[in-house]
Amino acid sequence: MRWMYWLAVPLVVLVGAPLLIVVPMSFSTSASLIFPPPGYGLQHYAAYFSDYAWLLPTANSLLIGVATALLTLLLVVPATFALVRYPFRGRALGRALVILPLIVPNIVMALGYYLYLGSLKLTQTYLGVILAHACLCVPIAYLILEANLKNFDVNLERAARSLGAAPMKTFWLVTFPILRPGFLAAGLFAFAHSFDEAVVALFISGRDVPTLPRKMFESLRMESDPVMSVVSALLLAAVLLFTILYAVSKHYRSVRLRQRATTPSGTANISNSYS
Amino acid sequence: MSAFTMAAPAVHQAQTACVTPQSSYLCVSRLCKSYDGQGRAVDGVDLQIRKGEFVTLLGPSGSGKTTTLSMIAGFEAPSEGDISINGRSLVSVPVHQRNIGVVFQNYALFPHMTAQENVAFPLRMRRLNTKDAMDRAKRALASVGLSGQLEKLPTQMSGGQQQRVALARALVFEPDVLLLDEPLSALDKNLREQMQLEIKRLHTELGMTTLFVTHDQSEAMAMSDRIAVFNRGKIEQFDAPLTVYDRPATRFVATFIGDSNLFDVVIDDPDEGRVHSELLGAVRATSSNLSAGAKAHLMVRPEAIQFAPLRDAAQERGVFTVSSVLNFGDRALVHGKVGQQNVKAMAVNLDTRLVHTGARLAMSWSHEQAYVLAG
């Protein structure tokens, strides 16, 4: 089966190379996007960090991403509880409607939002982009939360109730902490999707609230400005950093738990007659 | 069902409210549960339980015992009927105000809390300050032999340890009633016996009124003051373990609890306990209130059957023909036939030397151990 390993090599090159090619490009001295770069320098980084036309879309995308993630969670959390836990007429239809934006082609959705939000005078506003993005993120967040909630043991809530916790207390002390990783994942995916989204942003964001993908798209089309390779490299670095932080925190947490388990607490008397 | 839709007021509460005799502490009256038209999972259950009593709800799966427990805990609302503790109806009391301790089959320990935090949880819900709650939780864990495991998370504990934490958590707030829903079914045999003793010990020490759900009849026999035998949503018998074993009220109870041989008989004289059948001829038995001429079942437990060599080799009636023997030395499990009917016997002492495959033996029993129940 050794040949299968060799099969993996072209796959890694094919998937990995386009990701990594932006890194040398971002240090290029050339004034346009050409590969290989004629020389290396930091001039594009300087350009990015001093150009309002790049920093504004970056800030816009961050703002819209965070707002989208929050709005998505606000919509999806109650919807998931209702759809997973309570049998009611039209539940299957409700679930299908929630999933729909995932199935309908993005360009169709974009045109719909363009016309609909236009009639509400919400195109070219933050609110318009956030609303449209939240709609696109709902199915993603829903699917993540649905899987989490289906695996959640209802007896835990019953136990909390029987031990004296009122419904809201039960949610905050038991349900929410246990489902927190699911909420976090759902929010993170919503943020990432919004940050990355170009089609709807092209239709709705306009010149007033350009998002980063929109700016990059236009920059490539108009002037093939190498600054966009800087943006790409920075995003790549951010993702890498985030992944590493996550792995480190996870490792740290498991170490801490193991320590907590093996160190008997100071006052505990260890006369265990059963073990 | 979820934790958030509980304890809707019962529809027919007024007609079925508990009429509580002085001795009764937990009272369940005409309790019914039906799920949208699909028959009744619980169908008119009545229970009068004394304070401090250990009662087992025993029955096959789907017989309504767990649903009954759920309604007492408040996880499900009854369709009809009433539940009361100490004369106070619980039906409209929400779960978190019922003060009932529940131990779940899968323990349901909070995975994000240590053993001590789990046990302190009900105390904190009762507004004890953190220090007092943690102190009492520590003592409760020590009383179930877990004083060295305070800081462990549930995932770092064995099944038996988790079970003890669940017990401590359900007992630490001194509930009015303790409900145990098949708490031992996930444990292996040794651990199960150990936990049975532990639960009995805690019950004796604390005198807690306890309802224990199981489908394991020997567990029910060993642990309970009284057993309520469930079948198809109804209670077939509610009596002390030995009464249930020796004097089963119905054919179902006779076959569900322990091994039993049932012979079809006709009653000749109910006062004298005389019955007869094709297979056995005329025999004496202990009879319940049945009238002469009625058809009935004669129940004989395998261990009640005694063997003797046949005096008359030509005897036909009541002859036990051995078809297989498992001899353990001190006792032997004997399968055989009387006429066409399969009969199971547990031979002891010298009888074990009589039984071998193909042997034809005279079969007898003391009439106290032959019980007649309605057909």
Side-chain angles (χ1 to χ4, degrees):
Chain A
M1 301 295 271
R2 202 168 170 76
W3 60 273
M4 289 188 83
Y5 289 103
W6 294 110
L7 206 66
V9 173
L11 197 72
V12 168
V13 171
L14 220 61
V15 174
L19 288 181
L20 293 174
I21 203 168
V22 299
V23 178
M25 289 292 285
S26 69
F27 292 104
S28 168
T29 48
S30 158
S32 64
L33 282 172
I34 47 165
F35 192 82
Y40 293 97
L42 283 172
Q43 65 200 70
H44 296 317
Y45 281 83
Y48 170 76
F49 282 108
S50 58
D51 189 352
Y52 192 65
W54 278 105
L55 291 178
L56 178 71
T58 309
N60 278 346
S61 275
L62 285 172
L63 181 78
I64 289 168
V66 170
T68 299
L70 291 177
L71 181 62
T72 304
L73 284 180
L74 219 60
L75 290 169
V76 165
V77 171
T80 313
F81 273 84
L83 286 170
V84 172
R85 291 243 174 121
Y86 301 96
F88 57 89
R89 280 173 85 92
R91 176 157 76 162
L93 185 71
R95 185 177 180 277
L97 274 175
V98 167
I99 307 287
L100 202 60
L102 205 62
I103 304 157
V104 175
N106 261 8
I107 193 82
V108 176
M109 298 288 292
L111 184 63
Y113 289 130
Y114 178 70
L115 297 171
Y116 180 67
L117 294 173
S119 74
L120 293 173
K121 304 247 187 308
L122 283 174
T123 45
Q124 311 213 22
T125 64
Y126 284 105
L127 186 61
V129 182
I130 291 165
L131 282 177
H133 274 181
C135 292
L136 292 179
C137 292
V138 158
I140 300 166
Y142 173 77
L143 289 175
I144 293 170
L145 279 182
E146 183 191 49
N148 274 274
L149 196 60
K150 277 186 172 164
N151 284 326
F152 182 86
D153 178 11
V154 180
N155 273 352
L156 292 171
E157 283 176 357
R158 291 179 158 190
R161 296 288 317 273
S162 77
L163 296 169
M168 278 317 275
K169 270 222 160 108
T170 299
F171 181 81
W172 285 115
L173 294 176
V174 174
T175 316
F176 179 71
I178 293 170
L179 288 176
R180 188 156 39 206
F183 286 107
L184 251 167
L188 216 64
F189 268 87
F191 173 81
H193 187 68
S194 159
F195 199 83
D196 184 49
E197 205 288 326
V199 181
V200 169
L202 271 176
F203 273 66
I204 296 174
S205 70
R207 278 182 212 294
D208 293 347
V209 276
T211 64
L212 201 53
R214 184 195 164 101
K215 169 70 183 159
M216 287 172 77
F217 191 80
E218 276 171 356
S219 149
L220 182 72
R221 211 171 38 140
M222 308 284 193
E223 49 202 339
S224 124
D225 184 352
V227 172
M228 63 186 298
S229 68
V230 170
V231 178
S232 308
L234 287 175
L235 288 181
L236 202 62
V239 169
L240 268 177
L241 189 73
F242 196 82
T243 314
I244 290 166
L245 275 178
Y246 177 74
V248 167
S249 80
K250 206 172 156 184
H251 173 78
Y252 173 73
R253 214 168 62 169
S254 75
V255 166
R256 201 182 52 193
L257 283 183
R258 235 173 295 139
Q259 275 170 353
R260 201 150 84 157
T262 47
T263 337
S265 78
T267 48
N269 104 57
I270 316 182
S271 62
N272 189 340
S273 51
Y274 293 88
S275 57
Chain B
M1 279 304 288
S2 124
F4 296 108
T5 55
M6 287 167 181
V11 191
H12 299 285
Q13 200 184 330
Q15 298 104 316
T16 57
C18 276
V19 186
T20 321
Q22 213 57 36
S23 61
S24 163
Y25 178 68
L26 171 64
C27 167
V28 173
S29 168
R30 312 230 34 83
L31 196 66
C32 296
K33 179 70 187 180
S34 47
Y35 297 101
D36 30 70
Q38 296 175 358
R40 285 179 160 173
V42 173
D43 189 3
V45 163
D46 287 301
L47 286 167
Q48 306 275 341
I49 294 165
R50 291 185 292 272
K51 194 168 173 64
E53 208 174 2
F54 194 114
V55 169
T56 297
L57 311 185
L58 175 68
S61 59
S63 60
K65 55 194 193 309
T66 296
T67 311
T68 301
L69 202 77
S70 275
M71 286 190 278
I72 296 173
F75 304 144
E76 293 186 56
S79 311
E80 289 173 40
D82 191 25
I83 301 158
S84 74
I85 290 179
N86 231 349
R88 188 175 75 114
S89 174
L90 287 185
V91 173
S92 52
V93 178
V95 185
H96 62 282
Q97 288 166 5
R98 290 197 182 194
N99 204 38
I100 290 177
V102 186
V103 175
F104 295 84
Q105 186 169 10
N106 63 354
Y107 320 132
L109 296 179
F110 305 131
H112 57 302
M113 298 183 196
T114 64
Q116 194 177 15
E117 285 163 355
N118 263 283
V119 179
F121 186 87
L123 301 173
R124 312 234 12 220
M125 291 305 109
R126 284 164 179 75
R127 307 202 179 280
L128 238 69
N129 69 53
T130 311
K131 191 186 167 297
D132 291 352
M134 291 306 250
D135 279 352
R136 259 175 78 179
K138 193 161 89 182
R139 267 178 281 144
L141 281 167
S143 77
V144 293
L146 289 177
S147 36
Q149 324 279 333
L150 301 177
E151 299 289 315
K152 279 200 180 164
L153 290 172
T155 47
Q156 298 163 327
M157 309 180 97
S158 69
Q161 287 174 330
Q162 289 184 42
Q163 184 62 262
R164 285 161 199 272
V165 176
L167 259 175
R169 188 179 67 175
L171 286 168
V172 73
F173 60 99
E174 292 164 5
D176 296 330
V177 175
L178 177 65
L179 306 178
L180 303 147
D181 183 13
E182 308 216 15
L184 307 180
S185 58
L187 303 176
D188 64 47
K189 191 169 166 293
N190 282 336
L191 206 54
R192 189 150 70 206
E193 283 168 7
Q194 208 181 327
M195 285 306 296
Q196 286 173 3
L197 289 172
E198 179 87 19
I199 291 172
K200 273 309 276 181
R201 180 183 70 78
L202 284 168
H203 177 252
T204 317
E205 271 174 26
L206 304 172
M208 189 74 70
T209 310
T210 306
L211 243 69
F212 185 93
V213 164
T214 184
H215 60 260
D216 181 337
Q217 42 116 347
S218 58
E219 197 166 274
M221 291 291 294
M223 298 185 72
S224 327
D225 295 326
R226 283 197 288 168
I227 299 176
V229 185
F230 275 70
N231 186 33
R232 300 178 185 199
K234 290 185 198 299
I235 293 181
E236 301 235 341
Q237 188 170 10
F238 185 30
D239 266 317
L242 287 179
T243 312
V244 170
Y245 189 78
D246 292 337
R247 303 281 179 262
T250 64
R251 195 193 154 92
F252 172 81
V253 176
T255 50
F256 187 71
I257 295 175
D259 279 326
S260 59
N261 300 299
L262 292 170
F263 302 98
D264 293 330
V265 293
V266 177
I267 312 249
D268 294 330
D269 183 346
D271 300 326
E272 290 284 307
R274 285 184 210 288
V275 300
H276 78 272
S277 80
E278 278 289 293
L279 225 50
L280 306 170
V283 285
R284 272 193 74 199
T286 307
S287 159
S288 52
N289 300 322
L290 296 165
S291 51
K295 287 187 174 174
H297 301 291
L298 178 70
M299 184 201 75
V300 183
R301 296 287 184 191
E303 68 274 15
I305 295 176
Q306 292 166 344
F307 293 115
L310 282 182
R311 282 200 204 127
D312 174 6
Q315 186 183 335
E316 287 293 333
R317 275 187 171 152
V319 172
F320 184 99
T321 310
V322 179
S323 28
S324 74
V325 181
L326 285 174
N327 207 325
F328 305 110
D330 60 331
R331 67 209 149 86
L333 179 63
V334 189
H335 287 273
K337 283 199 173 210
V338 176
Q340 288 304 304
Q341 187 174 341
N342 289 317
V343 175
K344 199 175 184 182
M346 184 66 79
V348 289
N349 293 338
L350 290 173
D351 282 5
T352 58
R353 307 300 182 259
L354 283 174
V355 291
H356 44 84
T357 309
R360 295 179 79 242
L361 299 163
M363 182 176 66
S364 67
W365 49 75
S366 123
H367 71 271
E368 278 111 20
Q369 288 182 289
Y371 185 68
V372 181
L373 49 134

